[in-house]
Amino acid sequence: MYSVEWQKRGLPHAHILIWLLNKLHSNEVDDIISAEIPDPVTDPRLHDIVTTQMVHGPCGALNPLSPCMADGKCTKRYPRPLVAETVTGNDGYPVYRRRSKEDNGRTIKVKVQNQEIEIGNEFIVPYCPLLSRIFETHANVESCHSAKSIKYLCKYVTKGSDMAVFGIASENVNDEISNFQMGRYVSTNEALWRLLSFQIHERYPTVVHLAVHLENGQRVYFTEANAAQRAERPPSTTLTSFFAMCEADPFAATLMYVEMPKYYTWNQSTKKFQRRKQGTPVPDWPQVFSTDALGRIKCTWTEIICAFENCEWPPMPNISRSMSTIGFAGERFSLGFNTCRFSCFIKCVPNTNAVRNYHHHMFSFTTNSVMEQIKDAICEDILHRLRIQTNNPDIQITDEIYNEGLILIEDQCLTIANKLLIEVGMIAPNRSMHDAFNQELNRELQYNVDTLQEFVRNNVPLLNEQQKQVYETLMQAVDNNTGGLFFLDAPGGTGKTFVISLILATIRSRCDIALALASSGIAATLLDGGRTAHSALKLPLN
């Protein structure tokens, strides 16, 4: 997304925010963004652009009269500290590499108040070498690593034009609306830009928010005059319109809910979906066009469960596949429109064990009839591990495997809700041949060694110097069997979880046991095999 605005002297500039498909790690920032003076010998063109366009000030003690100075300090926080390596700062922005003169950093000479002084990388504004070469102008480029910095940029690119309030009035008159309207101004350059209908701001791709609600439970705005009419005929929403389109449009019946904006536009006045008239033609479907618009559903897991747990949807004889399947955040859920006990249950997930660990609370809403339909999917990972252990790919799911799946589910229910499966209306597992200790031990020995070894080989070279120091220190304690208590402290976004995950993978790839414990459930989900300390060690909650 971007927004074009104008300075007081009329010069336009743009604020552009770009989301990257792949996360930019701290060791990759230097490949894209630099805050150093280029080599004048190997790249004289870039050196000329940076030294003329990307130097701030100078200010501070070198030039106290610089326009950026306020109360004896630079409002832009220059000069910046000189550092040997790029690290992530506490505010979410990286502290870019700015080498000192003693550390092979370059310097230039600039004129300040008719005097020639020498400055280094501490006054260089971060830039992208590629963009600087292309546009040959001032282009400040930053990498955002936290919600704090992203929130600031989103706010900046969506703010309106500047304004000035002026005038003479008596003390008793203070019309804020008139003052605001009279105070708005545009420069000649901005006026010309607007008269020629140039783009001022844009977001790409389009994001459409999709509603989730109970039947006749959508939000309604009404006045005293039309309250009865709105209650009798509530307006359509994206959800109810989706159901209507599935009955009337054969193509819509093939889509998931989140896919609708890709092929249909939402008409705010008629409250209906309409087929897109432009875009890429869809094969085998005449007059159907696709775009890269995105559908997003703003809701949490708790809201989904609460929304559908007590939902008495009326029977619908013509329900299509898509009408009983809605996509939430890229996953697929089945909604049982004829039963309030079906709730929301995941149908398509790559890791069944993750479902049991992360969405265990959903099982309390599942009946035996539903369990009968999904029991094969629930036990797929158990069957897979058994085939690997026995080196027999022909083993099929048996009653013993079903029982093991029920035991794992019940263990989760006992840990979280202190309830047996029989208490929530499900079949109780047979625990007579099941040993709790062996279960805990087997849980920690079920990791795929080949996958972990490949993960370690691919990721150890990605460690920066500080991460490598942490990794080698802990692995040395493991290898020497010396033990120890280690405390890792670093700002958000610097790769703590990455290092810990790599240490866990290294130990487990040797068929040893590494417990990943956390104080909260949210923190535990960040680590492979992560559990809360209360759950794993059976600590008392009080």
Side-chain angles (χ1 to χ4, degrees):
M1 58 189 300
Y2 71 83
S3 178
V4 180
E5 66 177 15
W6 284 258
Q7 299 170 346
K8 299 295 187 298
R9 52 187 172 176
L11 298 178
H13 60 284
H15 296 268
I16 306 171
L17 181 60
I18 300 172
W19 281 266
L20 300 180
L21 179 63
N22 298 317
K23 181 180 179 180
L24 185 65
H25 296 282
S26 57
N27 61 333
E28 300 171 324
V29 172
D30 292 336
D31 298 334
I32 301 176
I33 302 174
S34 175
E36 295 187 316
I37 301 171
D39 190 337
V41 177
T42 59
D43 202 338
R45 179 164 170 260
L46 182 61
H47 179 270
D48 181 63
I49 296 172
V50 171
T51 55
T52 57
Q53 303 287 349
M54 303 304 298
V55 178
H56 174 82
C59 60
L62 299 176
N63 184 15
L65 301 179
S66 176
C68 63
M69 297 294 290
D71 298 329
K73 296 182 180 180
C74 174
T75 57
K76 308 299 181 183
R77 298 183 298 163
Y78 284 90
R80 299 295 176 91
L82 296 172
V83 294
E85 297 292 341
T86 299
V87 296
T88 302
N90 293 327
D91 58 356
Y93 290 99
V95 178
Y96 300 103
R97 182 179 65 186
R98 300 173 185 267
R99 286 172 289 189
S100 62
K101 187 176 181 179
E102 294 74 18
D103 194 20
N104 298 322
R106 302 178 184 87
T107 60
I108 58 173
K109 292 185 177 181
V110 297
K111 285 187 177 182
V112 177
Q113 298 179 356
N114 297 326
Q115 294 182 358
E116 193 174 64
I117 61 175
E118 185 180 52
I119 64 171
N121 294 323
E122 65 270 20
F123 286 104
I124 301 300
V125 178
Y127 64 93
C128 173
L130 175 62
L131 297 180
S132 295
R133 291 191 188 96
I134 293 176
F135 297 106
E136 297 186 355
T137 187
H138 177 88
N140 177 209
V141 180
E142 300 274 2
S143 175
C144 307
H145 288 278
S146 77
K148 180 179 178 181
S149 54
I150 292 177
K151 178 182 178 181
Y152 164 77
L153 285 178
C154 288
K155 176 182 177 181
Y156 211 113
V157 298
T158 54
K159 75 184 186 71
S161 302
D162 291 331
M163 71 172 184
V165 179
F166 54 88
I168 301 176
S170 64
E171 296 181 357
N172 298 328
V173 178
N174 184 22
D175 190 343
E176 295 182 0
I177 297 178
S178 297
N179 290 341
F180 175 77
Q181 293 176 339
M182 294 174 60
R184 296 182 66 86
Y185 73 94
V186 294
S187 64
T188 53
N189 288 349
E190 183 176 358
L192 179 63
W193 190 288
R194 293 176 180 272
L195 288 173
L196 295 178
S197 300
F198 292 158
Q199 289 285 351
I200 295 178
H201 54 79
E202 182 182 356
R203 295 185 182 188
Y204 176 86
T206 301
V207 178
V208 179
H209 293 290
L210 303 175
V212 176
H213 56 83
L214 299 174
E215 183 186 18
N216 294 329
Q218 58 265 48
R219 180 171 295 178
V220 176
Y221 297 92
F222 59 91
T223 63
E224 185 177 356
N226 65 1
Q229 183 267 335
R230 286 297 177 92
E232 182 180 355
R233 294 187 299 275
S236 177
T237 67
T238 54
L239 181 61
T240 56
S241 178
F242 168 65
F243 291 146
M245 290 297 296
C246 288
E247 292 183 328
D249 190 332
F251 179 73
T254 66
L255 302 177
M256 293 175 65
Y257 187 31
V258 291
E259 297 172 327
M260 286 295 287
K262 184 176 182 179
Y263 306 95
Y264 295 82
T265 59
W266 173 250
N267 191 314
Q268 191 63 35
S269 59
T270 63
K271 303 292 184 182
K272 292 181 179 179
F273 278 113
Q274 299 175 343
R275 279 191 181 183
R276 292 189 177 273
K277 299 180 181 179
Q278 296 179 343
T280 304
V282 178
D284 303 327
W285 291 95
Q287 304 303 317
V288 176
F289 300 92
S290 67
T291 64
D292 46 18
L294 303 176
R296 286 292 180 265
I297 300 176
K298 294 174 59 177
C299 57
T300 64
W301 291 109
T302 304
E303 289 170 344
I304 295 173
I305 294 174
C306 292
F308 294 102
E309 160 61 4
N310 297 316
C311 174
E312 293 286 354
W313 289 88
M316 296 183 181
N318 296 323
I319 292 180
S320 64
R321 181 193 65 84
S322 63
M323 292 183 67
S324 59
T325 306
I326 294 183
F328 289 90
E331 295 176 326
R332 182 173 296 178
F333 295 80
S334 279
L335 306 182
F337 290 92
N338 297 328
T339 172
C340 67
R341 295 291 294 178
F342 203 140
S343 299
C344 305
F345 198 86
I346 300 176
K347 292 191 67 177
C348 298
V349 288
N351 189 328
T352 314
N353 187 53
V355 178
R356 282 195 296 264
N357 289 335
Y358 189 69
H359 303 296
H360 46 261
H361 51 277
M362 288 189 178
F363 289 109
S364 61
F365 302 120
T366 308
T367 60
N368 287 327
S369 60
V370 175
M371 188 63 187
E372 188 67 26
Q373 300 177 35
I374 50 89
K375 63 180 183 180
D376 288 353
I378 290 295
C379 299
E380 279 182 350
D381 60 327
I382 302 175
L383 176 63
H384 176 69
R385 291 199 302 268
L386 186 60
R387 287 172 174 174
I388 294 178
Q389 291 174 352
T390 60
N391 196 25
N392 183 3
D394 298 326
I395 296 179
Q396 301 300 320
I397 291 183
T398 62
D399 291 339
E400 288 77 11
I401 295 178
Y402 288 142
N403 185 67
E404 185 66 21
L406 288 174
I407 291 175
L408 294 176
I409 295 173
E410 187 170 71
D411 287 343
Q412 294 292 338
C413 289
L414 285 170
T415 301
I416 303 301
N418 197 28
K419 287 186 177 181
L420 299 171
L421 289 186
I422 195 171
E423 296 180 68
V424 294
M426 292 181 61
I427 299 175
N430 183 1
R431 290 181 172 267
S432 58
M433 301 299 294
H434 188 78
D435 184 85
F437 174 78
N438 288 336
Q439 179 199 10
E440 294 287 339
L441 183 63
N442 291 333
R443 185 211 308 269
E444 303 301 334
L445 296 175
Q446 295 299 322
Y447 294 97
N448 190 311
V449 175
D450 295 334
T451 302
L452 292 176
Q453 290 176 347
E454 182 180 2
F455 176 80
V456 173
R457 286 195 301 268
N458 294 338
N459 288 279
V460 167
L462 300 180
L463 294 172
N464 59 33
E465 289 301 322
Q466 291 178 315
Q467 292 173 332
K468 189 175 182 180
Q469 180 183 0
V470 174
Y471 175 80
E472 292 178 347
T473 301
L474 269 75
M475 291 312 304
Q476 184 177 5
V478 173
D479 295 337
N480 298 336
N481 199 27
T482 57
L485 184 64
F486 302 90
F487 179 71
L488 178 60
D489 182 28
T494 54
K496 297 187 295 295
T497 302
F498 174 69
V499 175
I500 296 174
S501 298
L502 190 55
I503 293 173
L504 292 172
T506 304
I507 297 174
R508 290 165 175 168
S509 67
R510 304 172 180 178
C511 296
D512 292 331
I513 293 178
L515 297 182
L517 308 185
S519 58
S520 68
I522 295 178
T525 59
L526 298 178
L527 300 173
D528 188 19
R531 303 170 64 189
T532 63
H534 285 78
S535 171
L537 306 179
K538 302 299 184 289
L539 302 179
L541 293 178
N542 296 327

